[in-house]
Amino acid sequence: MGIKAFFKKAFSDMKESTKAQHEVDKANFAAAKAEAKAQWEEAKMSPSQRQAKMQEEREAQIAAANERKAAAEARIEAAREK
């Protein structure tokens, strides 16, 4: 492979890498924009709506904690049986 072919391949690879990174950047920007809009909409909620949303989040956290606890207890029982 000559030097000309080497640089042609190198610049082609850089071009492809730049295109792929641009797609990643566009996706990250769109996600950040959507998150900012969601935060804005949540900030505009009435106090009763905000309280209901917070209650739902707490219930979800409690459910997740209970699942983790059950999984840990199952691991404890499995360890004791060995």
Side-chain angles (χ1 to χ4, degrees):
M1 171 167 43
I3 228 158
K4 187 175 182 180
F6 172 79
F7 280 109
K8 189 172 186 177
K9 183 179 181 318
F11 284 113
S12 176
D13 290 346
M14 285 190 289
K15 182 179 178 181
E16 292 300 317
S17 178
T18 301
K19 284 182 183 179
Q21 186 60 46
H22 180 67
E23 291 299 318
V24 170
D25 291 342
K26 280 179 20 181
N28 284 333
F29 180 74
K33 186 177 175 181
E35 289 170 347
K37 183 167 177 78
Q39 288 176 344
W40 173 252
E41 293 298 326
E42 288 173 348
K44 294 190 320 184
M45 285 192 301
S46 70
S48 62
Q49 288 175 323
R50 188 174 299 122
Q51 192 174 31
K53 183 181 180 300
M54 289 175 64
Q55 182 62 33
E56 289 175 9
E57 289 175 357
R58 284 190 293 264
E59 289 172 0
Q61 289 174 351
I62 290 170
N66 287 337
E67 289 176 13
R68 289 180 23 225
K69 181 182 173 190
E73 289 173 351
R75 287 175 43 205
I76 290 169
E77 289 300 317
R80 287 184 182 165
E81 291 176 1
K82 289 184 180 180

